[in-house]
Amino acid sequence: QLRLAESGGGLVQAGGSLRLSCAASGSHFPSYTMAWFRQAPGNVRELVAAVGWSGDNTKYADSVKGRFTISRDNDKSTVYLQMNSLKPEDSAVYYCAASPTHYPTGYSSHYDKWGQGTQVTVSS
């Protein structure tokens, strides 16, 4: 059973950067597609970025392309989200998720392991 724990959220000014980390415990981390989703109050949970098992196959929401980078370290069972040029509209709770699919999918229903979430707040 894979368990996920996010860290790295916080308060940052617009234009700043944050790096989120998601540490996985349990077995078979390299076999999972990993992703970051986010949910702001009153909004649906949306995909931010996903990465396949090798780290080479990635998928991004249009709103974060060119600003966010997802990566993974299979030796450390950790996935990262580097967030640059942050905007107030990036404010949300960010969730780490794992999917048994072998490709980076944007459908939250494809992910069966979720972390508790970490709050990111971007002030204007």
Side-chain angles (χ1 to χ4, degrees), residues 60-69 82-85 87:
Y60 292 93
D62 288 343
S63 59
V64 306
K65 283 180 181 177
R67 300 188 298 123
F68 291 11
T69 302
Q82 178 66 45
M83 305 186 293
N84 298 328
S85 302
K87 304 175 181 180

Side-chain angles (χ1 to χ4, degrees), residues 24-108:
S25 58
S27 58
H28 306 302
F29 173 80
S31 68
Y32 285 89
T33 284
M34 299 299 297
W36 290 95
F37 285 78
R38 67 186 180 187
Q39 187 168 19
N43 289 1
V44 299
R45 190 170 296 189
E46 62 176 2
L47 176 77
V48 177
V51 60
W53 70 273
S54 70
D56 294 332
N57 194 359
T58 58
K59 180 181 181 68
Y60 292 93
D62 288 343
S63 59
V64 306
K65 283 180 181 177
R67 300 188 298 123
F68 291 11
T69 302
I70 189 170
S71 61
R72 66 189 296 164
D73 186 334
N74 286 338
D75 291 336
K76 296 182 178 179
S77 297
T78 302
V79 62
Y80 305 97
L81 184 68
Q82 178 66 45
M83 305 186 293
N84 298 328
S85 302
L86 282 160
K87 304 175 181 180
E89 51 264 42
D90 294 318
S91 298
V93 177
Y94 283 69
Y95 297 91
C96 178
S99 169
T101 61
H102 296 295
Y103 55 90
T105 170
Y107 295 102
S108 60

